[in-house]
Amino acid sequence: AFLISTRHSSPLTRCASRTRMTSSLSALPNLNKSDGTGASIDDISEQVKGKHVALYFAAGWCPMCTSFEPSLMQFREAANSSGKEVEIIYVPSDRQAADVVKRTSSMNMLSVPIGEEADAMKRKYKIWAGAESLKLGMGRRSGVPALVVLDKSGDEVAFIAAESKGAKALGDWPLDDSGLW
């Protein structure tokens, strides 16, 4: 497990741990807190520390997404209760920033800023809503909803195909300790 503890460590150890966490966070784009304000590296590192991290590609106008989310929230709650904590970062296909804030505040998630940064993540992982195909192209592997589970280096370790499998897809989530941030 990749955990940062500064309680009984020297300043040198704390610095090395901070550097490792910062380098793994560099795999992520800039993020916003659930209220839509920018999240600092300290905010992000505190929120993901010791957790399994996944990117959640979705949109509030998407009925499949909104019907999947109760199962996703139950999964997160059950994982957290069992000591296998999960942090989900929202990658929006919403049309307005206000819609993103409404969704992330209700689900208590960090988010990738709407626009270029979210589009870059969608292109990187080849996941976007069908309505975005004119802008992002036809070469996607999935529409929304979908999740990409990341390891502590920010590399993909699992793809959760919620668009095609619905809530059953959550059974594909690897919850061993190898991917903790």
Side-chain angles (χ1 to χ4, degrees):
F2 185 74
L3 299 173
I4 297 177
S5 173
T6 57
R7 274 195 276 192
H8 303 296
S9 59
S10 69
L12 183 59
T13 304
R14 284 194 302 270
C15 180
S17 295
R18 177 79 177 120
T19 301
R20 283 194 303 270
M21 178 59 84
T22 302
S23 66
S24 65
L25 290 175
S26 67
L28 297 174
N30 291 324
L31 297 175
N32 290 334
K33 294 186 263 186
S34 61
D35 66 3
T37 61
S40 70
I41 290 290
D42 289 336
D43 292 335
I44 298 166
S45 64
E46 184 62 32
Q47 196 151 344
V48 303
K49 179 173 53 177
K51 296 180 180 178
H52 300 274
V53 175
L55 303 172
Y56 175 48
F57 297 81
W61 51 261
C62 165
M64 288 173 51
C65 300
T66 56
S67 66
F68 171 72
E69 286 162 3
S71 297
L72 179 60
M73 297 300 96
Q74 288 174 348
F75 174 84
R76 181 177 68 180
E77 186 177 314
N80 292 350
S81 295
S82 72
K84 304 243 183 220
E85 292 191 80
V86 169
E87 186 64 42
I88 301 169
I89 299 170
Y90 186 66
V91 183
S93 287
D94 295 290
R95 295 180 179 119
Q96 297 180 3
D99 296 331
V100 175
V101 172
K102 181 179 175 183
R103 294 178 50 66
T104 56
S105 62
S106 71
M107 294 187 286
N108 192 27
M109 291 182 186
L110 293 168
S111 67
V112 175
I114 195 170
E116 289 181 27
E117 288 176 283
D119 289 349
M121 296 301 286
K122 293 172 203 173
R123 284 186 184 102
K124 178 178 179 175
Y125 294 103
K126 300 180 186 271
I127 302 168
W128 55 81
E132 297 173 299
S133 292
L134 284 177
K135 176 172 66 167
L136 299 173
M138 300 304 286
R140 67 184 183 156
R141 69 170 163 178
S142 177
V144 296
L147 293 110
V148 173
V149 181
L150 305 174
D151 68 10
K152 61 188 168 198
S153 299
D155 295 325
E156 180 177 336
V157 294
F159 170 66
I160 311 298
E163 180 191 37
S164 61
K165 293 182 173 180
K168 292 178 189 171
L170 293 170
D172 297 336
W173 191 308
L175 282 175
D176 63 2
D177 289 341
S178 64
L180 294 179
W181 283 58

